[in-house]
């Protein structure tokens, strides 16, 4: 249902744009930042690393996601309001990371010695790779992300004392 309604909304924006109206649809990929729900993958990693607990990854940890800082999302919304801007835009960092790479990054930022365990068997999740082009947003909205994944994890670490 979620994907069907997103597709329908994007179709409406496309139809309106084709008729000369300035309409925007932003595809926001995996927004991360302060106050994320406690059941999100990154939030769980942050909590476990901050406590030195074991981090268990499904499959081989190869699932790839493109995380974008919520501050960059806010800037994209502002940029999308520029008169004459119309169409569908991907809002992402432009760099995807595997679950294993994300766990290693979180451990590094926290100076954690949390052991990272992988399942050892390839799962369907391992084949998911979100490689997203943000070229159109750069070109037509004059938007690019300002914060790397490392910046975001450091920001969360500095401003949050506990997780969960």
């Amino acid at each position: 249902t979620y994907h069907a309604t997103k597709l329908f909304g994007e179709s409406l924006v496309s139809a309106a744009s084709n008729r000369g109206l300035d309409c925007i649809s932003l595809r926001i990929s995996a927004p991360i930042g302060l106050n994320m729900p406690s059941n999100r993958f990154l939030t769980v990693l942050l909590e476990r690393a901050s406590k030195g607990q074991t981090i268990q990854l499904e499959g081989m940890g190869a699932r790839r996601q493109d995380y974008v800082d919520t501050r960059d999302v806010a800037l994209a919304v502002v940029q999308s309001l520029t008169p004459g801007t119309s169409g569908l835009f991907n809002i992402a960092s432009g760099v995807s990371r595997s679950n294993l790479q994300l766990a290693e990054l979180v451990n590094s930022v926290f100076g954690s010695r949390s052991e990272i365990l992988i399942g050892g068997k390839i799962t369907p999740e391992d084949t998911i790779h979100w490689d997203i082009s943000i070229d159109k947003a750069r070109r037509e909205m004059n938007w690019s992300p300002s914060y790397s994944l490392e910046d975001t994890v450091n920001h969360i670490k500095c401003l949050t004392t506990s997780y969960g």
Side-chain angles (χ1 to χ4, degrees), residues 6 11 23 29 48 71 106 115-116 150:
K6 291 287 289 176
S11 296
C23 297
S29 172
R48 296 195 74 73
R71 296 169 292 178
V106 168
E115 182 180 10
I116 301 171
E150 293 85 351

Side-chain angles (χ1 to χ4, degrees), residues 1-14 25 27:
T1 304
Y2 173 79
H3 295 311
T5 58
K6 291 287 289 176
L7 182 60
F8 179 70
E10 289 176 1
S11 296
L12 291 175
V13 167
S14 178
S25 183
R27 285 184 179 170

Side-chain angles (χ1 to χ4, degrees), residues 47-109:
E47 180 180 353
R48 296 195 74 73
S50 71
K51 296 177 180 177
Q53 297 173 338
T54 300
I55 296 170
Q56 177 70 49
L57 302 178
E58 289 187 30
M60 302 300 291
R63 181 184 194 281
R64 298 182 69 82
Q65 184 74 36
D66 187 325
Y67 299 94
V68 61
D69 192 294
T70 53
R71 296 169 292 178
D72 283 326
V73 172
L75 291 172
V77 170
V78 170
Q79 287 298 112
S80 75
L81 299 174
T82 303
T85 303
S86 188
L88 171 67
F89 298 90
N90 293 326
I91 304 302
S93 70
V95 178
S96 65
R97 301 280 185 100
S98 72
N99 287 350
L100 179 57
Q101 289 172 320
L102 182 58
E104 291 170 343
L105 171 67
V106 168
N107 260 355
S108 175
V109 168

